[in-house]
Amino acid sequence: MDKRPVVNIGEQRFYKLIEENKFYIDKTDFIREWWENGSTVTLITRPRRFGKTLNMSMLECFFSRKYEGRADLFEGLSIFDDGLDEEKYRNLQGKFSVIFLTFGNIKAVKYSEMENKITEVIASLYNDNDYLLDGDCLNANEKEYYKSIKIDMSVNTAISAVQQMTCFIQRYYQKDVIIILDEYDTPM
């Protein structure tokens, strides 16, 4: 039986390509380069269909707590094949909180429709992290603010919501948060 990887055009989820043994050009050196650069903000610009979303998905799979214990996704790839630094990067895998927001599916004719769809993305972020409401990480005012983040929130509320979530998660885990923002220009 032929075990060669199958080419899959359009798959943007890194974990799916790896789990299903789809053809993947190893770009995990980007993880090392990005990490070693130590930039606070990185803007990745490339033409359409150039693999930006797949690379961002790879970053999420590498750093996110959601993928802790999933080093198998990176076995045989260059990030885990670097001699002395190999252990360093194995210890980084799955150890960070990652906020991954994509506005790629936001298609609207009217400005008000676009606002509503953006608030849906932000409200979903809050729903996904509602564990923060348990315990005493947030004070009463912060919990009230947290509960105000809904699909029908005002634009003024939405403007600060991602920054607030970052602060909440950072306080909860006592560790910096990585924010990945994909297709940020799609709604415009």
Side-chain angles (χ1 to χ4, degrees):
M1 181 175 201
D2 193 356
K3 291 285 188 178
R4 288 181 292 154
V6 176
V7 175
N8 187 359
I9 306 294
E11 179 59 66
Q12 299 178 333
R13 295 169 296 177
F14 174 80
Y15 73 90
K16 275 294 220 195
L17 289 174
I18 301 302
E19 288 177 348
E20 295 177 4
N21 196 33
K22 303 293 184 189
F23 182 76
Y24 173 71
I25 295 173
D26 188 353
K27 295 183 181 179
T28 59
D29 278 334
F30 175 72
I31 297 167
R32 183 181 300 102
E33 290 173 27
W34 180 77
W35 185 256
E36 296 300 325
N37 188 4
S39 296
T40 303
V41 175
T42 303
L43 177 63
I44 301 171
T45 58
R46 295 286 185 273
R48 290 185 48 72
R49 312 303 317 152
F50 218 80
K52 294 180 299 292
T53 299
L54 178 56
N55 280 341
M56 290 182 204
S57 175
M58 173 190 66
L59 287 172
E60 179 188 27
C61 288
F62 186 80
F63 287 107
S64 178
R65 293 177 188 283
K66 185 167 71 172
Y67 294 94
E68 187 173 17
R70 292 299 314 271
D72 62 297
L73 295 173
F74 297 91
E75 292 300 336
L77 299 175
S78 66
I79 192 68
F80 282 174
D81 187 28
D82 192 31
L84 298 175
D85 280 349
E86 178 182 348
E87 196 61 32
K88 172 183 176 179
Y89 288 98
R90 285 184 182 279
N91 289 332
L92 285 174
Q93 196 276 320
K95 301 297 188 230
F96 288 84
S97 296
V98 174
I99 295 174
F100 189 161
L101 297 177
T102 182
F103 297 112
N105 294 327
I106 296 179
K107 309 285 188 255
V109 175
K110 296 180 183 177
Y111 186 79
S112 59
E113 292 172 5
M114 179 193 63
E115 284 179 348
N116 189 46
K117 291 181 181 208
I118 289 172
T119 61
E120 285 179 22
V121 171
I122 294 170
S124 178
L125 169 67
Y126 274 69
N127 289 339
D128 291 345
N129 290 284
D130 63 1
Y131 63 89
L132 294 168
L133 291 169
D134 300 333
D136 59 358
C137 177
L138 305 181
N139 66 37
N141 289 334
E142 290 168 330
K143 287 181 180 183
E144 195 65 34
Y145 171 83
Y146 196 108
K147 293 174 185 175
S148 75
I149 306 301
K150 300 176 182 167
I151 293 172
D152 60 352
M153 72 184 116
S154 72
V155 173
N156 287 338
T157 302
I159 287 172
S160 63
V162 176
Q163 180 182 4
Q164 276 304 132
M165 176 56 75
T166 303
C167 293
F168 295 157
I169 293 173
Q170 187 172 7
R171 184 183 321 149
Y172 184 85
Y173 287 107
Q174 298 292 303
K175 198 169 197 174
D176 286 339
V177 176
I178 296 171
I179 300 173
I180 300 173
L181 185 58
D182 189 26
E183 301 280 351
Y184 62 89
D185 59 343
T186 298
M188 296 177 200

